[in-house]
Amino acid sequence: MMPKQTTDVDRLVGIRITALRKARGLSQTALGNAVGVTFQQVQKYEKGQNRVGAGRLREIARLLEVPVSAFFEDENQPDAPQEDVFGFLSAHGAIELLRAYAEIQDEQVRRDVLSIVRAAARLSQAKAEAAGQTAVS
């Protein structure tokens, strides 16, 4: 009998556990302690290396104060953008950036910060494209 393999769904669940855990300000150790596993096991869940059992996923959802459905794709929204918000939130520093942005009270300052971040993204993309062109030449 073949050992069970993890799937894209397991990886999706892991990405969402990571994003929601970070949004709550919990460490892997704290989450692991709360559900009765080690932080290494939480790491394996988050990387999609190990499957999360139904009971444990329910407990994680309860601790993170989300419905279990939050860990799965919403197939009821076919017009939803291709980019998964949880994929964005898994980028290093994304949650911290979003948390800091949300603390800005002044709307003009928020618009200015967004403008700066967009300009930095365009600059980064232009540099990457230029590096790709010189590597090909």
Side-chain angles (χ1 to χ4, degrees):
M1 189 171 187
M2 295 286 293
K4 294 180 183 175
Q5 300 284 321
T6 57
T7 65
D8 288 341
V9 172
D10 298 312
R11 287 181 281 284
L12 174 70
V13 167
I15 287 169
R16 291 181 175 192
I17 289 172
T18 302
L20 292 165
R21 174 184 60 77
K22 287 181 176 180
R24 289 276 175 213
L26 288 174
S27 67
Q28 290 175 331
T29 301
L31 180 60
N33 288 340
V35 298
V37 298
T38 64
F39 80 90
Q40 292 96 333
Q41 185 62 41
V42 173
Q43 283 179 332
K44 290 179 181 182
Y45 291 155
E46 290 184 355
K47 291 179 182 177
Q49 293 173 330
N50 285 8
R51 289 183 169 177
V52 184
R56 183 148 297 130
L57 188 60
R58 191 178 84 199
E59 182 64 12
I60 290 170
R62 186 188 67 75
L63 289 164
L64 298 175
E65 300 176 5
V66 297
V68 172
S69 62
F71 299 109
F72 301 97
E73 290 178 311
D74 187 358
E75 295 173 1
N76 296 328
Q77 293 184 349
D79 297 333
Q82 293 290 62
E83 303 92 2
D84 184 348
V85 134
F86 290 96
F88 287 125
L89 293 176
S90 67
H92 183 72
I95 300 241
E96 292 83 0
L97 179 63
L98 187 56
R99 191 174 281 138
Y101 180 82
E103 290 177 8
I104 299 170
Q105 300 297 315
D106 185 298
E107 286 299 318
Q108 183 59 50
V109 173
R110 274 189 180 193
R111 284 192 292 277
D112 292 345
V113 167
L114 185 56
S115 178
I116 291 167
V117 171
R118 285 181 174 151
R122 285 191 301 272
L123 179 61
S124 177
Q125 187 174 9
K127 279 185 173 181
E129 289 172 0
Q133 290 175 353
T134 57
V136 173
S137 300

